[in-house]
Amino acid sequence: MPQWTEERPMRVVTGFGYVGAKFLKEKGFKHVSFLAGDGALESYPAMGMADAIVDLVSSGTTLRENNLKEIEGGVILESQATLVASKKSLNRREGVLEISHEMLERLEAHLTASGKIMVTANMRGNSAEEVAERVLSQTSLCGLQGPTISPVYCTLDGNVAVDYYAINVVVPQKSLYKSIQQLRSIGGSGVLVSKLTYIFDEETPRWRKLLSELGM
């Protein structure tokens, strides 16, 4: 990076002014000016409004999408979210256990959905079984338990008929293009891609563990 001066300080946009300033001072940066920002900080360097940003980073995807990268040695601190509860309250206070159950369900479902997407496509076929056989022949299209296949109804010569079948399958995001290629190879068309927020399983492992800890 260029030599920053008092007349031309390094411009840093952040919502964490205190820890950011403390960190850079400890690293020997003397000429730094901070601009408070809240949301979409990744856009500031591209607009010429900042030389660097200090922000929360999880996977780094947003940084890469904005042609930014983490500076080597630039981790200010690492954090995690922890759910802490009173065993006595969970056992005795009305409604607390139910609320905890919902929170754990949502957290677990969100973690399960992370990195997965829903792919939907239409495919001609004589039956759902025939279409399923073609879909399951492709390694990237097996889904969680298997693809969901349902008839697509249309009007043909004045009568309701089934000419296409809709395929819904959950795939890893990193395998998206491979999955689309495989769908096309077996006759899939009109492919839609949807981001998943939650995937709820039959029962949450963390909930079972909590009940065990409570002796319930």
Side-chain angles (χ1 to χ4, degrees), residues 2-200:
Q3 183 68 40
W4 310 112
T5 65
E6 188 173 353
E7 293 76 23
R8 175 67 173 88
M10 180 171 69
R11 301 164 301 166
V12 179
V13 176
T14 183
F16 305 94
Y18 175 76
V19 293
K22 181 174 180 292
F23 177 79
L24 290 175
K25 184 177 180 181
E26 291 172 351
K27 293 295 182 181
F29 287 85
K30 296 180 180 179
H31 306 297
V32 183
S33 66
F34 285 88
L35 174 66
D38 184 18
L41 302 188
E42 300 84 2
S43 64
Y44 280 75
M47 294 188 294
M49 298 175 62
D51 302 302
I53 64 173
V54 175
D55 201 8
L56 294 173
V57 176
S58 178
S59 65
T61 300
T62 306
L63 290 179
R64 291 190 293 272
E65 289 175 348
N66 288 272
N67 296 318
L68 299 175
K69 69 175 182 177
E70 183 183 308
I71 298 173
E72 185 177 347
V75 177
I76 297 176
L77 57 86
E78 295 182 356
S79 65
Q80 67 178 16
T82 305
L83 182 62
V84 181
S86 163
K87 183 181 288 188
K88 184 182 293 184
S89 294
L90 289 172
N91 273 314
R92 297 182 181 179
R93 289 186 60 189
E94 184 180 354
V96 173
L97 194 60
E98 289 74 17
I99 293 171
S100 301
H101 189 185
E102 181 178 349
M103 291 175 67
L104 288 173
E105 286 271 14
R106 288 176 176 267
L107 288 169
E108 189 89 35
H110 184 66
L111 290 172
T112 302
S114 178
K116 298 182 179 67
I117 52 177
M118 173 73 79
V119 176
T120 303
N122 288 338
M123 186 181 300
R124 286 183 181 272
N126 296 318
S127 67
E129 289 75 14
E130 178 203 319
V131 172
E133 188 175 341
R134 284 152 59 189
V135 173
L136 290 171
S137 68
Q138 304 300 312
T139 56
S140 295
L141 303 178
C142 294
L144 297 176
Q145 285 86 29
T148 301
I149 298 172
S150 54
V152 176
Y153 295 95
C154 62
T155 302
L156 188 64
D157 297 329
N159 298 314
V160 175
V162 175
D163 196 27
Y164 281 89
Y165 287 86
I167 305 157
N168 291 289
V169 62
V170 176
V171 302
Q173 189 164 356
K174 62 183 180 182
S175 303
L176 173 60
Y177 188 61
K178 181 180 179 182
S179 301
I180 292 175
Q181 287 180 311
Q182 291 188 354
L183 275 171
R184 287 171 173 167
S185 71
I186 57 175
S189 62
V191 181
L192 304 178
V193 178
S194 306
K195 185 177 180 179
L196 296 174
T197 305
Y198 299 106
I199 296 177
F200 290 94

